[in-house]
Amino acid sequence: MAYKYDALVFIGRFQPLHFGHTAVINEALKIAEEVIMIGGASFAARSTRTPFTFEERKRMIRSVYPGFEADHSLSRVKIVPVPDYPYDENKWVASIQTAVMGAIKFHPGPLNIGLIGHQKDHTSYYLKLFPMWGNEGVANYLGLNATDVRDELLAEYGYRENFAALPGTVNDIVRDITERTNAAEFAVLRQEQAMVNAYKKSWEAAPFPPTFVTTDTVVIQSGHILLVKRGAAPGKGLWALPGGFLNQNETLLDGALRELKEETKIKVPLPVLRGSIKGQHTFDYPRRSARGRTITTAFYIDLGFDTKLPKVTGADDAEKAFWVSFRELDRAKFFEDHFHIINHFLNIG
């Protein structure tokens, strides 16, 4: 059979896989020899927005497309992991290009590749970022979206019945993950969702949607970076940069240094910290925080090289403060976009 495309690329988070996704895949299989699914937000910590790991999402796809299980290399439906790069679009595009070329079946001569998806909202802008590929638009199937499914899944009462938006096998897998194998983690996510819902509700009476301002600090010395372990929701237990909300009576720098001192008790005088600032940058990805529109400015502080790292102690909102080597940084342990903030200054991956 002659297909219009050698491969169609379907970019999404698939959190979780629902009938809207399978409708796109099924349409793609009619006109493409294979479908390469890009599992976005891979290698990230579990959160209310990304509750399922890449392996769990792959398991969902295998359950719907059995041939995927038999032989990944020959299957017509494949999924490959790609991390998010909210502040480096070029790196994100390059990662997808590399992932697709690594997954696609070998063909002699030039490849005919296309993107498939639907223009559901502002989040679908990526369909225009690959001009070298064709573009196949599809209608949104019954208005389904994963956000509604996640909201129901992470409701306080927990998982109680099958979701009509999910294929039967995916329902079984979601139930197994959320109620059995990872029940404790999802109990925490439900608590976080309840906290976020209450937080947003408290601002409903505001005349305009609120925009919050925070500060963070990226402090390095001798190949190590200063981090905290979050002591409360959201992101309880995750690694984060020292930081917090800006007070009404302080500058961005004053707020950043105050939060740094409060959360880490770092044994470095304020004049030295001020004199060691090597840069600053504002991070404004609109969906960087589940709590709402939150813009942060991070200050990059390089304390140079020394055989002894300054003493730190977790306090205030931080359960723990600690130094970690650049080599040990793991994006899957970080809160929200903090790994990407670090990467902006250190270019580590």
Side-chain angles (χ1 to χ4, degrees), residues 127-145:
L127 293 174
K128 300 178 181 179
L129 296 181
F130 300 86
M132 75 296 290
W133 293 342
N135 199 315
E136 293 290 329
V138 293
N140 190 349
Y141 182 76
L142 299 179
L144 294 178
N145 69 82

Side-chain angles (χ1 to χ4, degrees), residues 224-286:
H224 290 71
I225 185 168
L226 177 58
L227 299 175
V228 298
K229 183 178 180 181
R230 288 182 62 82
K236 179 177 171 62
L238 296 180
W239 290 4
L241 294 166
F245 290 94
L246 186 70
N247 288 337
Q248 292 291 316
N249 61 345
E250 60 188 357
T251 65
L252 290 169
L253 178 55
D254 287 341
L257 294 178
R258 172 184 56 77
E259 287 285 351
L260 174 63
K261 283 287 191 177
E262 288 178 356
E263 292 192 346
T264 72
K265 304 295 183 185
I266 185 170
K267 298 298 182 181
V268 176
L270 277 174
V272 175
L273 292 173
R274 287 179 179 273
S276 301
I277 295 173
K278 305 301 181 184
Q280 72 181 77
H281 190 80
T282 297
F283 298 88
D284 59 353
Y285 180 56

Side-chain angles (χ1 to χ4, degrees), residues 200-219:
K200 289 182 176 180
K201 188 173 181 60
S202 69
W203 286 94
E204 284 182 353
F208 302 101
T211 297
F212 306 101
V213 178
T214 62
T215 60
D216 292 289
T217 51
V218 178
V219 182

Side-chain angles (χ1 to χ4, degrees), residues 319-338:
E319 177 183 325
K320 177 184 178 183
F322 59 99
W323 293 95
V324 61
S325 70
F326 296 166
R327 182 183 61 83
E328 297 174 280
L329 292 174
D330 181 354
R331 72 173 70 220
K333 296 180 179 180
F334 275 92
F335 176 62
E336 292 184 342
D337 63 347
H338 287 208

Side-chain angles (χ1 to χ4, degrees), residues 290-304:
R291 291 166 290 186
R293 186 76 164 105
T294 306
I295 299 173
T296 197
T297 296
F299 292 85
Y300 175 44
I301 298 175
D302 186 349
L303 297 175

